[in-house]
Amino acid sequence: HGVSSLDFSPDGKLLCSVGQDPYHTVGIWDWDDGSLLTTARGHNAPVFTLSSTKVGNDYYIMSAGADPNINIWKLLPNGSLKGEIQKQHGMRNNITVFSLAITHGHLIVGFSDGTIKIFTVPSMGNAGFWKPHQGPIYNIAPAEDVKGFITGSQDQKFSCYYFK
């Protein structure tokens, strides 16, 4: 059914994938030999996007898609996933393709109506939202060196934001 999004684990040893398969799974793959280590079910609709991050000494995988949830798993060194947390994003619209990024302790989420919502990581507290675009947000690129991020949308605009 297709792979929607890929990301490496923060240490580069594992490849994480999500797709639009009938079971709405997250897959964890060994980068060295290509073997599937783990699959996890946590969504009830197609999964469009995922991102990984390191918080302290722990690695996390976050996934989102057509259901109202953002799922968070702790990624263990052996490729298994532990402690799923499901957080409702609180918006009417779906999270769009490639629109989830993590930077400076924040999860930035783009929605199909052009809204951006920010959560703190890993507590998933609400850190704000606004609507800078008039169409679906297709990409969010972290800009670590300037402590910010850039969004791109179907409205043919991009926007730059900085954390204080």
Side-chain angles (χ1 to χ4, degrees):
H1 292 269
V3 174
S4 300
S5 186
L6 297 168
D7 197 8
F8 282 103
S9 61
D11 63 4
K13 295 180 180 178
L14 304 171
L15 182 65
C16 310
S17 69
V18 294
Q20 298 178 37
D21 64 288
Y23 304 108
H24 319 300
T25 58
V26 173
I28 307 299
W29 306 81
D30 184 294
W31 178 243
D32 289 332
D33 66 15
S35 63
L36 179 63
L37 301 173
T38 303
T39 59
R41 294 174 69 174
H43 291 278
N44 58 21
V47 187
F48 297 143
T49 187
L50 73 96
S51 190
S52 66
T53 190
K54 183 176 181 183
V55 177
N57 292 324
D58 297 324
Y59 297 157
Y60 293 91
I61 301 294
M62 299 181 184
S63 61
D67 65 8
N69 301 315
I70 299 169
N71 289 350
I72 306 157
W73 290 274
K74 187 174 181 180
L75 177 61
L76 301 178
N78 67 358
S80 63
L81 297 169
K82 179 182 175 186
E84 177 198 348
I85 298 169
Q86 205 168 56
K87 170 75 174 179
Q88 290 199 350
H89 55 65
M91 305 295 282
R92 286 189 315 249
N93 294 304
N94 293 338
I95 295 172
T96 54
V97 180
F98 306 121
S99 62
L100 184 137
I102 300 170
T103 184
H104 296 284
H106 294 89
L107 173 68
I108 299 102
V109 182
F111 291 86
S112 57
D113 69 349
T115 301
I116 292 173
K117 190 165 184 179
I118 299 179
F119 297 93
T120 56
V121 174
S123 69
M124 293 303 288
N126 185 355
F129 70 95
W130 66 101
K131 187 177 178 185
H133 293 284
Q134 298 305 309
I137 297 172
Y138 287 136
N139 203 351
I140 298 173
E144 296 290 337
D145 54 336
V146 294
K147 297 182 182 176
F149 61 95
I150 301 167
T151 61
S153 172
Q154 185 183 36
D155 64 8
Q156 300 180 356
K157 296 178 183 176
F158 68 89
S159 300
C160 302
Y161 303 95
Y162 303 95
F163 291 103
K164 290 183 178 184

